Amino acid sequence: KAGVTQTPRYLIKTRGQQVTLSCSPISGHRSVSWYQQTPGQGLQFLFEYFSETQRNKGNFPGRFSGRQFSNSRSEMNVSTLELGDSALYLCASSLDSGSGELFFGEGSRLTVL
Amino acid sequence: EDQVTQSPEALRLQEGESSSLNCSYTVSGLRGLFWYRQDPGKGPEFLFTLYSAGEEKEKERLKATLTKKESFLHITAPKPEDSATYLCAVQDSNYQLIWGAGTKLIIKP
């Protein structure tokens, strides 16, 4: 069974640009959550999508957005990038919404210059 | 305020030297406590779920236990491949996950 797939794995952007990250969950998993991980802040919850609806949202500015498609694949977008957005962005899937048993992808490493 | 604190921040052990990692928490209405392992440059990997005080789970050299205020991850006779960062997360009554900062475990051969 294929795991969670995130693309791209690495990307470099400059301040002010925008970025879109993609996540394909495990087959049959309907919930997708996004996290930001930095050395100083650890894992920070961005949002969760289930059946194409945003179920929960963390404390991030509106520059961070996401969506989920009918096949459960998800994308997140960050607009007007800032230096502080440099981080590892992790996608996690689970069978149901609100589960603590998450299956993470390997992440997308974003560097903002 | 819900909070999860992991200690120590880092732990260096010799191969075969058993020890424990701690995850202490304050949360309203614990729904579950979860342990994850994270290798450098990779996403966390789910290890265990604990739901109630007194519960224990085991997997190879790892055993997780839970009390009303904390959880321990016991590592018995560790090997170098057990080196990783171990993360603890608790789920509150609103199904929100609160993550600890992790313990970086280094096992020297």
Side-chain angles (χ1 to χ4, degrees):
Chain A
K1 199 172 189 181
V4 177
T5 304
Q6 291 188 246
T7 57
R9 289 293 315 282
Y10 304 92
L11 63 166
I12 300 173
K13 295 286 187 177
T14 56
R15 281 180 298 173
Q17 287 187 310
Q18 74 164 8
V19 66
T20 298
L21 308 178
S22 180
C23 172
S24 293
I26 291 173
S27 178
H29 284 195
R30 296 165 62 193
S31 173
V32 172
S33 298
W34 288 90
Y35 286 84
Q36 181 194 68
Q37 188 174 40
T38 58
Q41 297 296 318
L43 268 173
Q44 300 289 315
F45 172 71
L46 282 157
F47 25 66
E48 181 199 8
Y49 286 88
F50 180 80
S51 294
E52 301 178 67
T53 302
Q54 188 179 89
R55 287 295 184 95
N56 284 297
K57 190 177 188 303
N59 295 323
F60 279 82
R63 301 185 295 108
F64 293 80
S65 63
R67 58 178 177 169
Q68 187 181 33
F69 302 96
S70 58
N71 62 357
S72 294
R73 192 177 69 85
S74 178
E75 289 181 348
M76 69 162 281
N77 183 276
V78 188
S79 62
T80 320
L81 284 166
E82 301 176 359
L83 295 179
D85 296 333
S86 295
L88 181 67
Y89 289 88
L90 291 162
C91 166
S93 75
S94 60
L95 280 169
D96 293 308
S97 176
S99 173
E101 296 182 8
L102 303 175
F103 296 83
F104 284 85
E106 295 199 322
S108 294
R109 171 76 62 186
L110 171 65
T111 301
V112 182
L113 301 176
Chain B
E1 181 187 343
D2 295 343
Q3 194 169 356
V4 176
T5 303
Q6 291 189 247
S7 61
E9 289 187 14
L11 181 62
R12 288 172 172 78
L13 301 172
Q14 288 294 137
E15 183 173 1
E17 181 184 359
S18 302
S19 188
S20 297
L21 313 182
N22 178 263
C23 171
S24 63
Y25 62 89
T26 53
V27 66
S28 54
L30 178 74
R31 288 196 172 274
L33 184 143
F34 308 88
W35 281 99
Y36 286 80
R37 166 197 171 123
Q38 186 173 23
D39 293 302
K42 296 195 173 184
E45 175 189 352
F46 169 73
L47 293 173
F48 303 110
T49 304
L50 300 167
Y51 290 109
S52 56
E55 190 174 359
E56 297 183 354
K57 293 278 181 71
E58 284 190 68
K59 180 180 180 179
E60 296 181 0
R61 295 176 293 281
L62 300 176
K63 183 169 81 172
T65 61
L66 181 65
T67 72
K68 288 187 177 179
K69 293 185 178 180
E70 59 192 347
S71 176
F72 293 93
L73 185 65
H74 307 277
I75 302 176
T76 303
K79 299 181 178 181
E81 53 263 41
D82 294 322
S83 297
T85 295
Y86 290 84
L87 297 166
C88 166
V90 299
Q91 190 171 47
D92 66 15
S93 56
N94 295 318
Y95 295 92
Q96 299 298 310
L97 279 176
I98 303 104
W99 293 83
T103 293
K104 184 174 183 178
L105 178 66
I106 300 169
I107 308 299
K108 295 177 286 185

